[in-house]
Amino acid sequence: MNSREFLLLMAAMGAVTYLPRMLPLVALSGRKLPSWFAEWLELIPAAILSALIAPTLFAHADPRVLTFGKIELLAALPTLFCAVKTRSLAGTVVVGMLCYWGLGLVK
Amino acid sequence: MAGTVRQGLSAAWPICLGYFPIGLSLGVLAQKGGLAPWQMAAMSILVFAGGSQFIAVAMLGVAASPVAIVSTVFMVNLRHLLMSSALSVHFPGVSRRFLALFAYGLTDESFAVNLTRFSQGGWHRYSALTLNHAANTTWIVSTVAGVYLGQLVPPGAAGVDYALTGMFICLLVFQLRGPIFTITALIAAACSLMAYLWLPGNAYVIVASCCAATAGLVLKRTLLKREVPA
């Protein structure tokens, strides 16, 4: 990917990031989304995050097969515990990294 | 004016503190993935979205197609539609130009702090704008610094490869605000694994999240209907 293609990709990413932030603020102010749509959108972040994490924890990449023995899954348990208990983003990221690193050394 | 700026800055520090290590880890990952400092800066300025940038760096690393990257980023940021809508009630009669500038800095964290402050009252829109841009500046500086530091960090050091997963786990926990969210997340994980095994590329994220949110909505509506006596 050359510089021009990279910048074009960034501009496209920027546009699809900016529009959902800007359009409701400018256009929808005072109005309400249809309730079913608002409720659907409300569930989307949890669904996306879970869908993103699942293969990292439960599957090998090449070839794609299920597994329950990855370090990623083991490290996820204290990370999840820390997230629930502390509700600190920075703290959880650090705990996750340290657990993953430590488990990698032990294995 | 100076007072409102100061208020914004003093409310922004927890966000800045939180962004710094995450920005650094993103920069380190980006460097490992072959991104130059100017590319990291361009991404942080044009996109300014933590989760999306982690995903983009990961997808660039496995040479995913631009269409897959952009559509994934779009899906990940759909949640801002709701945050933007929720904030809009606090800007009655404010110019579109201000709103267009303010919207650039809307993140999960700035949304949470600004909405809380607006609800408490006495929060000026320039304080809110200052907060957004303080967070944005921290983000740009820390991500670019990460790229430079990345050259000094050996691969796998201190588990930086896990920063992405750690952040997503924590953001997911923040999202689990009731049983229906947990059920939706579990359905999404199951759908994601099936789609990951059977579909090519990164389609699994979009397919699984749409299926799970729809299933969650149907479930919520059926359960609610049962609770209300006819």
Side-chain angles (χ1 to χ4, degrees):
Chain A
M1 182 176 292
N2 65 33
S3 297
R4 199 173 147 268
E5 287 168 343
F6 180 84
L7 279 177
L8 273 175
L9 175 62
M10 290 308 115
M13 279 171 57
V16 298
T17 306
Y18 180 66
L19 290 177
R21 287 174 175 175
M22 184 272 286
L23 288 178
L25 206 53
V26 170
L28 280 179
S29 60
R31 254 189 286 172
K32 276 204 158 182
L33 295 169
S35 68
W36 65 268
F37 185 58
E39 285 174 40
W40 188 80
L41 276 182
E42 218 175 30
L43 295 172
I44 276 286
I48 284 181
L49 289 162
S50 185
L52 277 168
I53 300 165
T56 312
L57 303 186
F58 297 104
H60 286 299
D62 197 20
R64 291 183 173 188
V65 282
L66 276 187
T67 172
F68 293 96
K70 287 179 86 181
I71 303 182
E72 281 83 350
L73 181 59
L74 274 178
L77 301 175
T79 309
L80 185 66
F81 183 78
C82 178
V84 171
K85 284 287 160 198
T86 68
R87 309 196 73 83
S88 149
L89 185 59
T92 302
V93 170
V94 170
V95 165
M97 282 164 58
L98 288 177
C99 291
Y100 181 71
W101 182 55
L103 286 166
L105 290 182
V106 170
K107 204 177 181 182
Chain B
M1 181 74 189
T4 58
V5 169
R6 232 189 344 267
Q7 269 194 315
L9 286 176
S10 69
W13 76 262
I15 298 179
C16 298
L17 200 67
Y19 278 3
F20 210 83
I22 298 167
L24 275 182
S25 3
L26 175 63
V28 171
L29 282 179
Q31 193 272 332
K32 304 283 179 225
L35 259 65
W38 74 265
Q39 289 180 310
M40 187 74 259
M43 190 195 276
S44 290
I45 292 167
L46 288 170
V47 183
F48 185 34
S52 305
Q53 288 182 237
F54 268 104
I55 295 161
V57 165
M59 290 180 87
L60 281 169
V62 296
S65 75
V67 174
I69 297 176
V70 172
S71 52
T72 307
V73 166
F74 176 68
M75 294 294 294
V76 171
N77 289 320
L78 270 180
R79 67 187 189 282
H80 290 140
L81 282 172
L82 273 185
M83 301 182 191
S84 181
S85 309
L87 277 170
S88 65
V89 299
H90 294 288
F91 295 98
V94 173
S95 76
R96 288 186 169 200
R97 270 173 58 191
F98 179 91
L99 291 177
L101 181 62
F102 177 81
Y104 165 75
L106 198 163
T107 62
D108 297 3
E109 296 77 20
S110 74
F111 162 77
V113 175
N114 277 327
L115 194 79
T116 311
R117 292 285 181 137
F118 274 125
S119 312
Q120 287 167 350
W123 189 238
H124 197 274
R125 65 175 193 275
Y126 284 114
S127 302
L129 188 65
T130 305
L131 179 135
N132 285 7
H133 283 278
N136 184 225
T137 307
T138 309
W139 182 248
I140 295 166
V141 169
S142 59
T143 51
V144 175
V147 178
Y148 284 109
L149 289 175
Q151 293 160 350
L152 309 172
V153 181
V160 77
D161 299 339
Y162 205 71
L164 163 73
T165 313
M167 190 184 81
F168 288 154
I169 289 174
C170 191
L171 289 178
L172 175 61
V173 168
F174 289 169
Q175 285 296 328
L176 302 180
R177 286 164 288 155
I180 196 67
F181 292 91
T182 311
I183 293 167
T184 303
L186 290 174
I187 296 172
C191 290
S192 170
L193 285 173
M194 280 193 282
Y196 184 75
L197 297 180
W198 293 333
L199 299 175
N202 309 87
Y204 66 94
V205 180
I206 297 161
V207 170
S209 32
C210 285
C211 288
T214 307
L217 180 64
V218 169
L219 223 68
K220 187 182 164 191
R221 296 233 153 172
T222 7
L223 290 179
L224 274 182
K225 240 184 228 161
R226 267 202 213 136
E227 275 167 26
V228 179

